[in-house]
Amino acid sequence: MSASSSSISDPAYLRARAMETLFERLENLCEGAIAIDRGGRVVYVNEKYLASLGLKRTSEAIGRPIEEVIPNSLMRKVAETGEPILLDIMELGGEQLVVTRMPIEDENGQVIGAIGFVLYDHLESLKPLLARVAQLESDLRLARRQLSNPRAARFTFADFVGTTPGIAQAKELASRAARQSVTVLLTGETGTGKEMLAQAIHNASSRAEKPFVSVNVAAVPDTLIESEFFGTAPGAYTGADRRGREGKFRLADGGTLFLDEIGEMPLQLQAKLLRVLQEREIEPLGSDKISKVDLRVVAATNVDLRKRVSDGAFRPDLYYRLNVLSIDLPPLRQCLDDLPEICARLLEDISASGDYVSARITPSALAALARYDWPGNVRELRNILERALILSDSGRLTGDDFARILPVGTEVRLASPARPGGLVVPYAEAEAEFEKQTLEQALAASNGQISEAARMLRISRATFYKKLAKFGLASGPASV
């Protein structure tokens, strides 16, 4: 029988029906439900939950303390305090379950029990959410550390995105380095993220709560470089600070000193740096007192230090001391499969620093970016993305947006025209290789969607399929 119009307008009736409807929907949608009374004894369990609990019949659970049915359950806590636990991950029988727990109240608002629902019995569908929560927790810890420490590192391994072999290997070696206090040498082209990785190593190490001090060796004048690193005693020379000055080694004591462009360090300072690395002690300018320092040195260079050594511009003993663990960072042009993830992270960072709330990048934009050689690597990519956002009226970046701002004449990545040994590749073979690379890049940029990839290249779907067959490229199930 349908409810009368008066009962439909009754707030108490509506509230009661809402609660009943909510319970019915949750019970139908969830993977399991269980309820206890105020004393913590099971009063209800639905059929779907029995298998997870290792039971055959509901009668096996009714009347038993909740902890006998679900070890380490928090249901009793909810029933006693009246405070819900809205989202939690619970271990049960070797599985991880996403659950919610809520108190049950009588008509007077008194807590008389608690009910729990298993929302998910597999975490696969929640991986993006859990990853985001983990990142937010990491960001919060980092922000707290930065507020308390003006010399704190900002980046973590989560910021160094990418899964291509070069990036994966760099992160693996960096993670190993973080667990030790070894000296690390980062090599790679300019703009590949060497300082970001150095900060990530610091933040993943036992030194994370200590200072991270960064110095660009090439930017320090030769006349000041020694005092910059080692500090000065009070009144060490004419014009020196009467109170003295602490150098970078002292500022980084207990933490990490990042030396960028180490290949530009003058020879006379290289000998002193070697002594610091070996003896862990410094002597400020104008002082006869030696003091100990405890720090990790991470050096970085975009030049060939071995060639510098052979040219006599870099001390071989310092090179070997720095090269305890060498990590090479690949250029962006070798990591184009990671371009969507890298662009997403950069856009997120750019949006946080400006008014770009609706910043989005389209597959055609990714295809345009993939055809550029990126001599400035990720640093140049960030510059290009920010410039495109400034010039965009909508924040939705397309291939046309980048066609207007990418450098003219260098936007297409051509295959190498030579084989090993200097043999020249025939024109037809080079052309075929370029065509194959273009198809692969379009597929990658469109996430395997044939229609979108064909639209990017301005050819028909039929032609695209023929070319895939020509080069033996599988389109995959997502391309239909």
Side-chain angles (χ1 to χ4, degrees):
M1 189 173 85
S2 60
S4 65
S5 59
S6 59
S7 62
I8 292 176
S9 61
D10 180 11
Y13 173 80
L14 288 174
R15 181 174 180 273
R17 286 302 303 147
M19 295 306 295
E20 289 177 22
T21 303
L22 175 62
F23 178 81
E24 291 169 1
R25 290 292 175 89
L26 276 174
E27 190 184 33
N28 289 332
L29 294 174
C30 74
E31 303 298 330
I34 193 167
I36 63 172
D37 61 19
R38 188 74 168 81
R41 295 188 175 277
V42 177
V43 296
Y44 167 80
V45 60
N46 69 353
E47 296 281 346
K48 286 196 288 186
Y49 207 3
L50 293 178
S52 296
L53 297 174
L55 304 175
K56 294 181 179 180
R57 294 176 296 277
T58 58
S59 59
E60 295 177 35
I62 303 301
R64 293 171 61 189
I66 183 63
E67 292 81 7
E68 290 184 8
V69 181
I70 304 176
N72 303 314
S73 172
L74 297 178
M75 290 280 287
R76 187 185 296 272
K77 178 181 177 182
V78 174
E80 290 175 349
T81 65
E83 295 294 328
I85 302 175
L86 295 179
L87 192 62
D88 192 19
I89 296 175
M90 181 180 73
E91 295 273 354
L92 183 63
E95 288 187 276
Q96 288 187 313
L97 310 177
V98 180
V99 300
T100 185
R101 310 177 184 95
M102 294 175 286
I104 301 173
E105 298 176 353
D106 62 15
E107 60 274 10
N108 298 317
Q110 297 297 314
V111 176
I112 57 174
I115 187 165
F117 296 98
V118 179
L119 302 179
Y120 295 96
D121 56 359
H122 297 287
L123 298 187
E124 291 297 321
S125 57
L126 287 182
K127 274 188 174 180
L129 175 62
L130 295 175
R132 182 60 179 159
V133 170
Q135 180 61 39
L136 288 172
E137 289 177 344
S138 174
D139 291 345
L140 179 59
R141 288 194 300 270
L142 202 56
R144 285 173 174 167
R145 193 156 66 238
Q146 287 172 336
L147 287 173
S148 61
N149 184 357
R151 292 187 179 276
R154 184 164 69 95
F155 297 107
T156 66
F157 286 125
D159 296 298
F160 197 76
V161 298
T163 57
T164 48
I167 290 181
Q169 183 180 24
K171 285 200 285 190
E172 164 63 19
L173 290 173
S175 296
R176 290 177 178 269
R179 297 194 290 267
Q180 310 295 331
S181 282
V182 297
T183 303
V184 180
L185 178 63
L186 303 178
T187 62
E189 296 178 9
T190 182
T192 49
K194 294 186 286 293
E195 181 165 2
M196 175 185 285
L197 194 59
Q199 291 190 22
I201 291 172
H202 174 81
N203 277 326
S205 74
S206 59
R207 300 176 180 269
E209 302 300 325
K210 299 296 184 179
F212 178 89
V213 178
S214 176
V215 184
N216 187 313
V217 176
V220 182
D222 289 350
T223 54
L224 298 177
I225 196 164
E226 193 166 349
S227 63
E228 187 74 15
F229 280 96
F230 296 95
T232 58
Y237 53 84
T238 303
D241 193 324
R242 292 182 180 180
R243 294 172 298 177
R245 180 182 179 186
E246 290 191 328
K248 301 301 185 187
F249 286 112
R250 175 56 62 195
L251 291 173
D253 191 22
T256 301
L257 178 63
F258 175 62
L259 301 177
D260 199 8
E261 298 194 55
I262 188 68
E264 305 304 319
M265 179 172 280
L267 277 169
Q268 69 272 17
L269 189 63
Q270 291 178 26
K272 292 195 172 187
L273 173 60
L274 180 62
R275 178 176 175 80
V276 175
L277 294 177
Q278 291 176 336
E279 307 298 333
R280 299 294 169 175
E281 58 186 30
I282 60 171
E283 184 178 352
L285 282 177
S287 173
D288 57 359
K289 294 182 179 180
I290 293 176
S291 59
K292 291 286 186 179
V293 289
D294 171 31
L295 52 80
R296 180 219 288 272
V297 170
V298 178
T301 182
N302 57 13
V303 300
D304 187 346
L305 280 188
R306 285 174 296 185
K307 186 175 185 304
R308 288 289 176 108
V309 169
S310 63
D311 292 342
F314 203 84
R315 292 178 61 104
D317 47 4
L318 177 58
Y319 170 70
Y320 298 131
R321 192 67 184 80
L322 290 172
N323 197 29
V324 175
L325 179 62
S326 180
I327 303 175
D328 186 53
L329 278 68
L332 182 57
R333 59 184 171 275
Q334 293 179 10
C335 310
L336 292 180
D337 286 345
D338 291 322
L339 198 59
E341 189 178 3
I342 293 173
C343 286
R345 179 52 62 88
L346 290 175
L347 285 173
E348 184 179 329
D349 188 50
I350 293 169
S351 297
S353 64
D355 188 17
Y356 307 114
V357 178
S358 60
R360 288 183 299 129
I361 190 162
T362 64
S364 66
L366 290 170
L369 294 174
R371 291 193 293 270
Y372 181 53
D373 198 47
W374 300 109
N377 295 291
V378 178
R379 183 183 293 121
E380 183 183 13
L381 174 59
R382 190 189 193 284
N383 176 279
I384 291 293
L385 288 172
E386 188 161 17
R387 191 185 312 172
L389 282 174
I390 292 171
L391 298 176
S392 172
D393 293 326
S394 65
R396 182 177 179 274
L397 303 180
T398 67
D400 291 338
D401 292 311
F402 294 106
R404 292 193 292 267
I405 60 178
L406 284 171
V408 177
T410 56
E411 62 271 14
V412 178
R413 293 189 310 112
L414 293 175
S416 172
R419 292 193 181 104
L423 297 176
V424 176
V425 175
Y427 179 83
E429 188 176 331
E431 184 179 39
E433 179 62 25
F434 174 73
E435 186 177 9
K436 180 182 176 183
Q437 286 184 5
T438 302
L439 293 171
E440 290 173 334
Q441 290 167 12
L443 279 172
S446 65
N447 294 320
Q449 299 295 325
I450 293 294
S451 297
E452 180 63 22
R455 191 187 66 77
M456 291 179 193
L457 299 180
R458 299 181 183 177
I459 59 177
S460 67
R461 278 169 53 107
T463 301
F464 199 99
Y465 276 114
K466 288 178 183 177
K467 291 183 180 293
L468 288 179
K470 173 183 174 182
F471 294 108
L473 297 174
S475 58
S479 59
V480 180

